[in-house]
């Protein structure tokens, strides 16, 4: 199927670049709300786990300029995306440092802050759990004693009476028999700490509750419709009366998916009707109170036949989801189904536990758990390759899953170009070619990893789109996917332009406003190019059919002879026939009798996968079809390592992903580079460090280091592979999150290849490399 | 204590009442409408709030507003009075930003660099921009755009 595409697949400058580069993008905090604006500040708990005995707000309420002080007594509702275990403000206990126990709304932020200091809270400290292994120990204090009473999605398996918010099991084949038949069994135990999204724009919500009972919110968010739904449920309001507007967003990475602090802003607004109320996180609050990436302790055990084929695979994962599993439970679920990596394996045993701890709450983070579990798998694969004497890249080729082979939950794998990705990365990085540093104190080593990821979504997630033409033949596309910087609006514009024969300068895509734009589940899971792209394509096809109808009726030319090109309608049988859209898409076409045919052209489209099924057997994870498809890829790094200090410099990277079809190849490559660098931060430096009381010791950019422009490799090589996704728009599937996943294991594998030291706990810091280099405990035979 | 502060903002004289402890960032954003200047951390760690004071780049989040009395303050709004600059055009051509939140700070820092050193080497340029954090892009397109500006200026010198 060779389509002659005019827009899709060609490069273009992103449609919103001018507004970004001129500083005219109006982010939430840039919108003027006038002198009526109130400011909100919150009081965070100093304890990681404590009972709330009493809260005294008397003094705070007396401070001049304070409009309201609110606590869990006013807003006791529980909320959450998948598991309603989170409080707007807690009534009985706090479960992490920084958990908000009260909010003050005042005429200025300074007054609100001053009033917060006047609130007196009496706590009774409870034992603190900071490690997922401690969370599941017999007799551990229960962080959510009411777990059994929370509202929960039917496909989640909470374990009341324990600290496990969800348990996903996979039992495919016969694991005992598999290991019995294995000639080699290789194991490893790994640890991934919490890391933070660190969007440069912190979370912000401005909420206004009008006196007529309407709630309007301007939120920095990936999830306007989901937020509206959760607000409607937790405030007992009609959806139509809530309007969520999503202005441009200064980074998301999953941290602004679902809902977090926005509920507090809404509660604040409800307490001060008629005023817009602004709640903006400080950088410290951003670290504590938005969400972090799930931590993980995991054990990987892989059984191989002599020829390198994996025959049995056991993976036990203990996720540190923090104080709430409202969103993290789905990280645990998705990874429970997928934590084999992109390999065909006949016998699989996976346990994925969502362990409550008193660390900050974790939710979605670019990669959705796949970065964390892939570190252990890809490290173990390299170890195994060394033991078996098989080249590490070859071992991945041998096991690469092919179309039609059963994934862990035994549903056939989608078409994919994994081997092509592996080959291209190996070639670009010069796999097998030894490189030497000019400095005799330094060695140069390479590391490799191959990965996959599926969008993690409820089985019936959906997208929808409207397209409306204007007099001049230009269109506005109304969708509620969010452009997080990944290029969503450019992709949607190109898909519509392709169907409608439009040039890109005729297309505008606006950011979400739930009053104006139709439904989208959320912009997460790297799924909007696929899901919303399908909706836009259908809306464009709908508009096209109305255009053709109009022309057929006015000109008596059969539709089958008409096509759209160059911003108008052409005819296959009459070369000279051309009607520009601007002639008729609003006012119609005049007939010889001076009557009119047609009218304003509108298109609508929606998409929902109709083949997914999340209701699996809880004991085996089988019997359903929980994922829509997997995107596969591979990555490799060349690292220079100082043999004395352990100092590492990543000189080169190559990453290839099979994105089905690149709607905009340049922007897809930008996703690979950006995701790689974000991954590099987590591989080398990033880690939220807590003291024994659960207080974060590095809640600022000085101590929590993210990559700067001097830290990145000088040689970065993004590679696109295109094996079409059968149900994707023009064959496209997502790949933005995936780009982070290979980095941690590739770096650790490079260190093991270069120095023979296996670092099983990220970040792979220079200090760890230097300290462990000569320690036999960390030795991996070379 | 309140002060009546007078300075030039983007070429125009402004007069504004500020408290002694008010930060320039907040005054620019909340009282003077210069919202290209962003809050990212408030403690001089991210560069999103970068402005030029008498031609030198400064983190406005840790600068007291009263310190700019009588000075020339330039934000991104003021750099493009005659349309996008050469640096901005290069950033556009190279799709240099994703979410764009860091862009104003980068453009101001880059402007200072190019005004002092019109054709920096790539490493000089990277070091000059090291105080501006970007979480989205991996910096490669920013580097490509800046290399193009430097190269073009080098040619222009000949
Ligand atoms: S806000 Fe000033 S440096 Fe971050
Ligand atoms: S483009 Fe998002 S922070 Fe730079």
């Amino acid at each position: 199927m060779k389509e002659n595409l005019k827009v899709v697949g060609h490069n273009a400058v992103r449609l919103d670049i001018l507004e970004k580069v001129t500083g005219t993008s109006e982010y939430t905090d840039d919108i003027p709300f006038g002198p009526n604006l109130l400011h909100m500040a919150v009081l965070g708990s100093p304890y990681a786990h404590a009972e709330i005995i009493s809260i005294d707000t008397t003094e705070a309420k007396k401070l001049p300029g304070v409009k309201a002080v609110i606590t869990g007594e006013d807003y006791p509702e529980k909320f959450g995306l998948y598991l309603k275990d989170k409080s707007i403000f807690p009534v009985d206990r706090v479960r992490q440092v920084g958990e908000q126990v009260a909010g003050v709304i005042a005429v200025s932020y300074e007054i609100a802050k001053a009033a917060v200091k006047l609130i007196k809270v009496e706590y009774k400290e409870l034992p603190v759990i900071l490690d997922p292994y401690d969370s599941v120990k017999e007799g551990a204090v229960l962080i959510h004693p009411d777990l059994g009473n929370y509202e929960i999605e039917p496909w989640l398996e909470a374990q009341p009476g324990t600290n496990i918010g969800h348990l996903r099991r996979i039992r495919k084949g016969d694991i005992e028999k598999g290991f019995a038949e294995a000639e080699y069994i290789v194991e490893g135990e790994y640890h991934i700490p919490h890391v933070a999204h660190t969007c440069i724009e912190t979370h912000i919500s401005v909420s206004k509750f009008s006196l007529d009972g309407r709630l309007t919110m301007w939120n920095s968010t990936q999830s306007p419709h989901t937020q509206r739904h959760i607000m409607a449920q937790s405030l007992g309001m009609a959806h139509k009366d809530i309007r969520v507007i999503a202005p441009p967003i200064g980074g998301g990475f999953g941290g602004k998916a679902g809902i977090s602090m926005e509920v507090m802003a809404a509660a604040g607004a409800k307490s001060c009707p008629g005023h817009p109320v602004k709640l903006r996180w400080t950088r410290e609050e951003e670290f504590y109170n938005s969400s972090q990436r799930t931590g993980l302790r995991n054990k990987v055990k892989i059984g191989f036949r002599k020829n390198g084929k994996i025959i049995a695979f056991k993976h036990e994962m203990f996720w540190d989801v923090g104080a709430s599993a409202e969103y993290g439970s789905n990280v645990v679920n998705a990874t429970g189904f997928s934590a084999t990596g992109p390999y065909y394996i006949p016998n699989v045993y996976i346990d994925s536990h969502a362990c409550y701890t008193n660390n900050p709450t974790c939710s979605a983070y670019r990669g959705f758990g796949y970065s964390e579990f892939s570190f252990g798998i890809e490290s173990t694969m390299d170890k195994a390759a060394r033991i078996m004497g098989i080249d590490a890249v070859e071992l991945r080729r041998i096991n690469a899953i092919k179309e039609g082979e059963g994934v862990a939950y035994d549903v056939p794998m989608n078409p994919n170009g994994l081997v092509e990705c592996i080959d291209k990365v190996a070639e670009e990085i010069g796999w097998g070619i030894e490189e030497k540093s000019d400095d005799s104190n330094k060695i140069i080593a390479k590391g490799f990893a191959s990965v996959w990821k599926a969008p993690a979504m409820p089985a019936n997630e959906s997208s929808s789109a409207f397209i409306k033409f204007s007099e001049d033949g230009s269109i506005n596309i109304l969708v509620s996917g969010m452009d997080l910087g990944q290029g969503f609006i450019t992709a949607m514009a190109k898909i519509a332009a392709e169907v409608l024969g439009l040039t890109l300068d005729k297309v505008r895509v606006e950011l979400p406003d739930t009053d104006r734009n139709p439904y989208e589940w959320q912009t997460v899971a790297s799924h909007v190019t696929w899901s919303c792209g399908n909706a836009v394509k259908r809306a464009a096809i709908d508009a096209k059919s109305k255009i053709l109808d109009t022309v057929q009726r006015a000109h008596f030319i059969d539709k089958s002879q008409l096509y759209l090109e160059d911003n108008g309608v052409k005819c296959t049988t009459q070369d000279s026939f051309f009607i520009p859209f601007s002639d008729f898409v609003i006012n119609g076409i005049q007939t010889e009798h001076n009557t009119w045919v047609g009218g304003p052209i509108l298109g609508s489209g929606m998409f929902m996968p109709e083949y997914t099924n999340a209701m699996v057997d809880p004991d085996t994870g089988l019997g359903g079809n929980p994922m829509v498809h997997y995107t596969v890829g591979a990555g490799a790094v060349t690292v220079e390592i100082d043999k004395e200090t352990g100092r590492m410099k990543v000189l080169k990277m190559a990453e290839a992903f099979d994105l089905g079809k690149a709607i905009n190849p340049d922007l897809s490559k930008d996703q690979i580079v950006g995701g790689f660098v974000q991954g590099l931060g987590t591989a080398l430096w990033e880690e939220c460090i807590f003291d024994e009381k659960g207080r974060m010791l590095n809640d600022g950019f000085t101590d929590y280091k993210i990559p700067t422009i001097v830290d990145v490799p000088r040689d970065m090589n993004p590679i696109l592979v295109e094996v079409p996704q059968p149900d994707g728009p023009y064959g496209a599937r997502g790949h933005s999150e995936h780009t982070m996943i290979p980095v941690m294991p590739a770096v650790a594998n490079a260190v093991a290849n270069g120095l023979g030291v296996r670092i099983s706990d990220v970040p792979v810091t220079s200090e760890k490399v230097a300290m462990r280099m000569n320690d036999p405990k960390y030795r991996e035979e070379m | 204590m309140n002060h009546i502060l007078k300075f030039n903002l983007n070429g125009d004289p402004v007069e504004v009442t500020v408290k002694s402890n008010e930060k320039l960032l907040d005054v620019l954003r909340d009282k003077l409408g210069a919202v290209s200047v962003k809050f990212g951390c408030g403690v001089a760690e991210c560069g999103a709030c970068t402005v030029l004071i008498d031609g030198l780049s400064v983190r406005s989040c840790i600068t007291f507003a009263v310190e700019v009395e009588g000075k020339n303050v330039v934000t991104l709004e003021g750099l493009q009075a005659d349309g996008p600059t050469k640096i901005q055009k290069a950033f556009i051509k190279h799709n240099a930003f994703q979410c764009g939140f860091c862009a104003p700070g980068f453009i101001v820092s880059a402007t200072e660099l190019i005004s002092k050193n019109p054709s920096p080497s790539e490493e000089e340029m990277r070091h000059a921009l090291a105080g501006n954090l970007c979480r989205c892009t991996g910096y490669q397109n920013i580097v490509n755009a800046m290399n193009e500006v430097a190269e073009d200026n080098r040619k222009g010198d000949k």
Side-chain angles (χ1 to χ4, degrees):
Chain A
M1 166 197 81
K2 192 105 190 113
E3 279 179 282
N4 188 12
L5 300 175
K6 290 220 154 60
V7 194
V8 164
H10 299 270
N11 284 317
V13 167
R14 51 185 314 139
L15 295 191
D16 52 1
I17 192 71
L18 197 60
E19 73 172 66
K20 310 276 184 200
V21 169
T22 51
T24 43
S25 276
E26 211 171 39
Y27 300 88
T28 303
D29 203 22
D30 302 339
I31 301 171
F33 288 96
N36 216 17
L37 178 68
L38 298 178
H39 299 264
M40 185 168 177
V42 296
L43 174 65
S45 161
Y47 300 112
H49 201 191
E51 272 175 43
I52 300 172
I53 306 295
S54 66
I55 303 179
D56 180 359
T57 59
T58 332
E59 292 304 311
K61 280 182 175 149
K62 281 192 214 153
L63 193 71
V66 168
K67 294 285 198 181
V69 180
I70 52 178
T71 66
E73 217 169 276
D74 312 293
Y75 295 97
E77 294 83 0
K78 291 271 181 194
F79 72 98
L81 190 58
Y82 299 113
L83 165 59
K84 292 192 179 14
D85 67 358
K86 218 174 168 181
S87 308
I88 302 179
F89 293 103
V91 275
D92 50 350
R93 66 162 88 186
V94 290
R95 296 176 171 88
Q96 67 161 86
V97 172
E99 181 168 354
Q100 304 84 5
V101 293
V104 176
I105 301 97
V107 293
S108 76
Y109 184 69
E110 288 63 40
I111 293 174
K113 267 310 239 196
V116 157
K117 294 207 178 95
L118 299 175
I119 300 171
K120 293 184 202 79
V121 187
E122 201 187 323
Y123 296 97
K124 184 169 161 247
E125 283 188 73
L126 293 167
V128 170
I129 297 176
L130 300 173
D131 190 297
Y133 281 168
D134 294 336
S135 166
V136 296
K137 267 192 195 136
E138 194 78 33
V141 61
L142 292 185
I143 295 174
H144 286 272
D146 290 337
L147 180 56
N149 302 327
Y150 296 157
E151 252 182 77
I152 186 169
E153 288 293 325
W155 40 273
L156 290 177
E157 313 288 341
Q159 312 283 307
T162 75
N163 281 323
I164 299 171
H166 171 53
L167 168 59
R168 172 58 59 218
R169 288 196 183 95
I170 290 284
R171 301 288 184 271
K172 174 189 167 192
D174 183 338
I175 194 73
E176 307 290 330
K177 189 162 161 271
F179 279 116
E181 287 170 12
E183 272 107 5
Y184 294 95
I185 294 175
V186 184
E187 295 177 72
E189 189 169 354
Y190 303 92
H191 178 238
I192 314 290
H194 280 213
V195 297
H197 306 75
T198 72
C199 304
I200 305 299
E201 178 202 38
T202 59
H203 276 65
I204 178 167
S205 170
V206 180
S207 299
K208 182 176 167 183
F209 200 83
S210 312
L211 297 167
D212 64 354
R214 147 144 270 216
L215 173 66
T216 307
M217 305 182 80
W218 292 259
N219 295 343
S220 176
T221 180
Q222 303 175 226
S223 309
H225 279 90
T226 292
Q227 291 195 333
R228 185 181 68 157
H229 183 54
I230 294 176
M231 294 308 316
Q233 287 180 325
S234 52
L235 297 179
M237 291 179 67
H239 288 66
K240 69 177 172 56
D241 293 334
I242 301 177
R243 178 180 184 191
V244 179
I245 296 168
I249 183 173
F253 312 114
K256 291 172 184 166
I259 192 162
S260 61
M261 52 89 86
E262 299 81 8
V263 286
M264 275 178 267
K270 211 171 167 202
S271 304
C272 301
H275 292 267
V277 173
K278 181 187 286 186
L279 180 62
R280 182 183 81 178
W281 276 166
T282 63
R283 182 51 61 186
E284 300 88 299
E285 286 169 331
E286 185 71 15
F287 274 104
Y288 274 114
N289 296 333
S290 47
S291 60
Q292 301 185 338
R293 188 171 85 178
T294 37
L296 176 64
R297 287 199 181 277
N298 57 332
K299 295 175 190 160
V300 179
K301 180 175 169 188
I302 313 180
F304 295 87
R305 303 306 307 263
K306 257 208 309 282
N307 60 6
K309 280 252 180 211
I310 303 174
I311 179 154
F313 181 97
K314 184 172 181 185
H315 200 168
E316 291 165 284
M317 295 183 282
F318 295 86
W319 294 93
D320 172 359
V321 298
S324 160
E326 59 100 9
Y327 202 151
S329 51
N330 196 30
V331 173
V332 172
N333 192 56
T335 56
F337 285 119
S338 305
T340 54
Y343 307 119
Y344 170 66
I345 305 167
N347 305 295
V348 181
Y349 176 115
I350 297 173
D351 275 352
S352 185
H353 308 80
C355 308
Y356 283 120
T357 67
N358 297 114
N359 288 319
T361 294
C362 298
S363 73
Y365 182 119
R366 190 178 202 169
F368 212 67
Y370 286 69
S371 294
E372 296 92 300
F373 78 67
S374 297
F375 177 70
I377 296 174
E378 292 303 297
S379 298
T380 310
M381 287 294 277
D382 255 42
K383 252 195 215 180
R386 192 159 289 131
I387 289 167
M388 296 188 290
I390 299 176
D391 174 77
V393 170
E394 186 55 26
L395 185 62
R396 290 171 171 91
R397 274 192 207 104
I398 291 170
N399 289 291
I401 190 160
K402 294 187 207 54
E403 179 181 356
E405 287 178 335
V407 301
Y409 48 88
D410 221 7
V411 163
M413 176 64 181
N414 51 278
N416 73 88
L418 179 55
V419 173
E420 190 180 341
C421 291
I422 292 173
D423 289 346
K424 288 198 160 143
V425 168
E427 191 190 332
E428 178 59 49
I429 208 77
W431 189 254
I433 301 168
E434 238 183 86
E435 289 176 45
K436 280 210 170 8
S437 173
D438 299 334
D439 183 338
S440 61
N441 275 329
K442 294 179 177 161
I443 53 142
I444 292 181
K446 296 172 189 177
F448 195 95
S450 45
V451 300
W452 72 354
K453 182 185 176 293
M457 317 179 294
N460 57 343
E461 75 76 34
S462 62
S463 302
S464 55
F466 290 142
I467 291 178
K468 47 178 198 168
F469 271 90
S470 293
E471 291 84 340
D472 63 349
S474 65
I475 62 168
N476 289 79
I477 302 177
L478 303 183
V479 282
S480 294
M482 191 62 197
D483 202 305
L484 312 172
Q486 83 282 47
F488 167 74
I489 67 171
T490 308
M492 295 307 110
K494 292 179 103 175
I495 289 169
E498 189 68 52
V499 174
L500 291 167
L502 285 164
T503 47
L504 271 183
D505 60 330
K506 295 278 187 195
V507 187
R508 185 164 194 100
V509 189
E510 287 299 330
L511 296 181
D513 170 342
T514 56
D515 266 13
R516 179 187 63 196
N517 298 17
Y519 182 82
E520 166 66 48
W521 170 56
Q522 337 183 58
T523 301
V524 298
S526 290
H527 90 298
V528 285
T529 299
W530 168 78
S531 178
C532 197
N534 275 325
V536 166
K537 194 172 176 199
R538 289 178 182 180
I541 290 169
D542 185 35
K544 178 178 172 179
S545 95
K546 288 172 179 160
I547 288 170
L548 298 183
D549 249 16
T550 302
V551 176
Q552 169 172 298
R553 290 200 293 129
H555 290 275
F556 306 104
I557 302 174
D558 193 81
K559 271 198 253 198
S560 61
Q561 294 168 21
L562 298 171
Y563 64 99
L564 309 187
E565 197 176 73
D566 299 335
N567 303 319
V569 185
K570 295 185 179 176
C571 177
T572 50
T573 52
Q574 300 174 42
D575 274 355
S576 60
F577 185 91
F578 179 67
I579 319 177
F581 292 143
S582 55
D583 276 9
F584 72 95
V585 284
I586 293 293
N587 294 325
I589 301 173
Q590 200 164 22
T591 66
E592 56 196 79
H593 312 294
N594 291 328
T595 56
W596 296 82
V597 168
I601 300 292
L602 288 171
S604 75
M606 56 93 167
F607 176 77
M608 186 176 81
E610 292 187 340
Y611 48 85
T612 36
N613 164 14
M615 300 308 294
V616 299
D617 173 356
D619 296 327
T620 63
L622 306 178
N625 186 11
M627 305 288 169
V628 288
H629 56 252
Y630 286 88
T631 295
V632 297
V637 291
T638 305
V639 189
E640 185 183 61
I641 314 168
D642 187 310
K643 286 187 285 185
E644 278 161 29
T645 63
R647 224 183 122 82
M648 286 163 289
K649 193 169 164 191
V650 177
L651 303 175
K652 178 172 181 172
M653 77 83 157
E655 275 194 3
F657 285 91
D658 174 11
L659 72 179
K661 172 76 190 170
I663 305 292
N664 202 355
D666 267 358
L667 298 193
S668 289
K669 287 181 184 167
D670 292 350
Q671 285 306 301
I672 295 185
V673 169
F676 172 85
V677 168
Q678 199 171 0
L680 192 63
T682 63
L684 294 176
W685 310 295
E686 291 181 41
E687 173 177 21
C688 298
I689 301 169
F690 301 98
D691 69 9
E692 74 293 346
K693 294 257 189 192
R695 289 172 297 217
M696 189 172 165
L697 301 175
N698 56 341
D699 55 0
F701 284 127
T702 302
D703 300 313
Y704 186 98
K705 185 173 160 44
I706 69 170
T708 71
I709 198 167
V710 291
D711 299 318
V712 299
R714 301 300 185 257
D715 189 1
M716 298 203 263
N717 302 276
I719 300 164
L720 308 180
V721 167
E722 297 182 316
V723 175
Q725 177 60 31
D727 67 348
Y730 298 100
R733 62 172 90 76
H735 70 109
S736 291
E737 293 177 63
H738 308 65
T739 57
M740 267 190 88
I741 304 172
V743 192
M744 295 192 301
V747 167
N749 286 341
V751 170
N753 288 337
L755 296 171
V757 54
R758 171 61 58 188
I759 309 286
S760 303
D761 50 335
V762 282
V764 183
T765 60
S766 302
E767 190 186 349
K768 284 182 195 166
V769 172
M771 305 279 286
R772 298 175 187 178
M773 210 179 309
N774 300 312
D775 184 339
K777 213 171 110 201
Y778 299 98
R779 204 78 217 139
E780 186 164 299
E781 284 324 313
M782 296 172 75
Chain B
M1 207 180 114
N2 283 343
H3 299 263
I4 306 223
L5 171 68
K6 291 183 190 173
F7 66 102
N8 282 315
L9 175 60
N10 296 325
D12 294 325
V14 292
E15 195 177 305
V16 59
T17 307
V18 302
K19 293 198 198 71
S20 340
N21 63 352
E22 248 180 299
K23 295 293 174 9
L24 180 60
L25 170 66
D26 298 322
V27 172
L28 288 173
R29 288 183 55 82
D30 299 342
K31 295 186 173 163
L32 297 168
V35 293
S36 77
V37 190
K38 302 293 187 230
F39 166 82
C41 68
V43 288
E45 293 174 342
C46 77
C49 66
T50 308
V51 300
L52 298 177
I53 300 179
D54 289 345
L56 294 179
S57 70
V58 171
R59 306 288 183 248
S60 64
C61 68
I62 54 154
T63 306
F64 289 112
V66 290
E67 292 177 62
V68 302
E69 177 70 42
K71 300 202 166 149
N72 288 306
V73 176
V74 175
T75 67
L76 176 58
E77 284 89 346
L79 291 174
Q80 52 196 7
D82 305 318
T85 62
K86 188 188 226 178
I87 293 170
Q88 284 174 300
K89 284 183 189 150
F91 282 151
I92 290 166
K93 180 175 157 199
H94 288 272
N95 283 320
F97 299 102
Q98 290 181 21
C99 81
F101 200 76
C102 65
F106 263 102
I107 296 166
V108 171
S109 296
T111 303
E112 181 198 35
L113 167 68
I114 295 296
S115 73
K116 289 188 197 151
N117 179 1
S119 47
S121 71
E122 185 177 313
E123 291 307 308
E124 284 171 339
M125 179 260 292
R126 285 182 190 263
H127 279 95
L129 299 180
N132 289 86
L133 297 180
C134 174
R135 191 54 148 169
C136 301
T137 62
Y139 305 103
Q140 188 60 50
N141 292 353
I142 296 172
V143 170
N144 294 345
M146 288 300 289
N147 278 341
E148 190 173 296
V149 170
E151 182 57 35
D152 194 64
N153 287 346
R154 207 166 292 141
K155 277 192 215 138
D157 284 348
K158 276 181 205 154

